[in-house]
Amino acid sequence: MKTRTMTVAAALFALSAPALTAGGADDDNLTINGNIEMTTKAEPAAHLDGALPEVISGWHFRSDETQELEMDDFDNPGMIFVDQAREAWNTAEGSEGKSCADCHNEPESMAGVRTVYPKWNEEAGEVRTIQMQMNDCRENRMGAEPWKYDASAAINMEALISSVSRGMPMDVATDGPAQETWEQGKEIYYTRYGKLELACASCHELNYGNYIRADHLSQGHTNGFPTYRLKNAKLNGQHSRFKGCVRDTRAETFSPGSPEFVALELYVASRGNGLSVEGPSVRN
């Protein structure tokens, strides 16, 4: 019990560390392949109500070595999985014998899609993520089995769809029929969970730029997902990252693809409106 108490105290102390012990966002510029200029700092959207003075990509909180990996597709290990998804894009599956290419032609036809997801689907009467929409296509157009949420095949395809939108600004809608889900996501974002009693905002709004252990806290924007993490040497999805964060508060967590994480994805995506799509990005 004493050890657990000390661990909790240490974590809370780290989150309350003064800014003078931390390193804030750097002033470097991100250009990919020498020609895709990225907006990595932007004015906050009105719906943030002054919560952030500026929205800043997580790229600015990484080391120079990690940043450089994202600046060239030959160095970016996440692009290996994008290439795998290009093969899958052209592969016929399911009872209908169709591939993604049969309906959408080249993957480049998806340019701009990543910028507006998650979004309201009128026919389904719900907010959908990219992975939810992909599985709808697989089941109802291809007659194929749906992918498990955040499984490698799904993450690879989401990375491909993201890659063709790199440089375009995130522009997720928060009003209209999506507003109720957005409000739910906002509530989750500010709710303290677990034995550590931490919310998403505890790290990514109140303490970005500070360090918790060896992790340089960013603002937690999702414009870079799917993200190749050096920590586990694979592409990571947003919901898997959410799950890990909630778990780290010593709480029971939600599942990838759950309504709670769909709502949280919508809200967190909207916090990064104005930042360029970076996926697949590279992070620690």
Side-chain angles (χ1 to χ4, degrees), residues 94-150:
S95 60
E96 300 302 309
K98 288 185 176 181
S99 68
C100 301
D102 288 326
C103 291
H104 301 292
N105 299 314
E106 296 301 315
E108 283 69 23
S109 68
M110 296 287 103
V113 169
R114 174 70 174 86
T115 67
V116 296
Y117 270 85
K119 74 172 188 176
W120 179 260
N121 183 295
E122 187 66 36
E123 183 178 349
E126 64 182 3
V127 169
R128 283 187 172 175
T129 65
I130 286 179
Q131 288 193 45
M132 291 168 69
Q133 191 60 47
M134 289 190 307
N135 273 337
D136 181 80
C137 286
R138 287 183 61 80
E139 291 185 276
N140 297 315
R141 298 193 180 188
M142 299 169 67
E145 289 293 319
W147 285 322
K148 181 180 178 182
Y149 211 95
D150 271 2

Side-chain angles (χ1 to χ4, degrees), residues 155 224-229 232 234-237 279-283:
I155 290 296
F225 278 87
T227 294
Y228 184 91
R229 296 192 72 197
N232 59 9
K234 68 176 185 178
L235 281 181
N236 294 258
S281 64
V282 183
R283 303 289 188 259

Side-chain angles (χ1 to χ4, degrees), residues 207-282:
N207 280 283
Y208 67 87
N210 289 331
Y211 283 86
I212 180 169
R213 295 178 178 171
D215 189 16
H216 192 192
L217 294 173
S218 72
Q219 292 182 345
H221 298 301
T222 56
N223 60 300
F225 278 87
T227 294
Y228 184 91
R229 296 192 72 197
L230 301 176
K231 179 179 180 179
N232 59 9
K234 68 176 185 178
L235 281 181
N236 294 258
Q238 297 179 53
H239 291 201
S240 294
R241 192 72 201 100
F242 292 159
K243 181 179 178 180
C245 284
V246 176
R247 180 198 60 222
D248 288 347
T249 70
R250 309 296 189 266
E252 291 293 326
T253 187
F254 307 109
S255 299
S258 64
E260 292 84 1
F261 278 168
V262 171
L264 184 60
E265 181 181 342
L266 173 63
Y267 176 70
V268 177
S270 78
R271 290 175 67 91
N273 275 356
L275 296 177
S276 292
V277 173
E278 291 181 34
S281 64
V282 183

Side-chain angles (χ1 to χ4, degrees), residues 50-70:
L52 295 172
E54 183 178 37
V55 291
I56 307 170
S57 166
W59 182 82
H60 283 289
F61 297 87
R62 304 281 65 88
S63 68
D64 289 346
E65 293 78 10
T66 302
Q67 288 181 337
E68 288 171 3
L69 289 174
E70 191 179 325

Side-chain angles (χ1 to χ4, degrees), residues 174-185:
T174 65
D175 55 1
Q179 184 172 357
E180 182 178 353
T181 303
W182 183 84
E183 294 285 359
Q184 181 188 2

Side-chain angles (χ1 to χ4, degrees), residues 133-211:
Q133 191 60 47
M134 289 190 307
N135 273 337
D136 181 80
C137 286
R138 287 183 61 80
E139 291 185 276
N140 297 315
R141 298 193 180 188
M142 299 169 67
E145 289 293 319
W147 285 322
K148 181 180 178 182
Y149 211 95
D150 271 2
S152 58
I155 290 296
N156 292 355
M157 190 61 72
E158 186 174 359
L160 172 58
I161 292 172
S162 294
S163 72
V164 299
S165 291
R166 286 181 297 176
M168 298 180 180
M170 291 293 298
D171 187 22
V172 174
T174 65
D175 55 1
Q179 184 172 357
E180 182 178 353
T181 303
W182 183 84
E183 294 285 359
Q184 181 188 2
K186 181 179 180 179
E187 181 178 358
I188 293 171
Y189 188 87
Y190 286 103
T191 297
R192 293 180 178 271
Y193 289 96
K195 294 179 180 179
L196 297 184
E197 295 186 354
L198 296 174
C200 305
S202 300
C203 290
H204 299 300
E205 184 173 300
L206 300 178
N207 280 283
Y208 67 87
N210 289 331
Y211 283 86

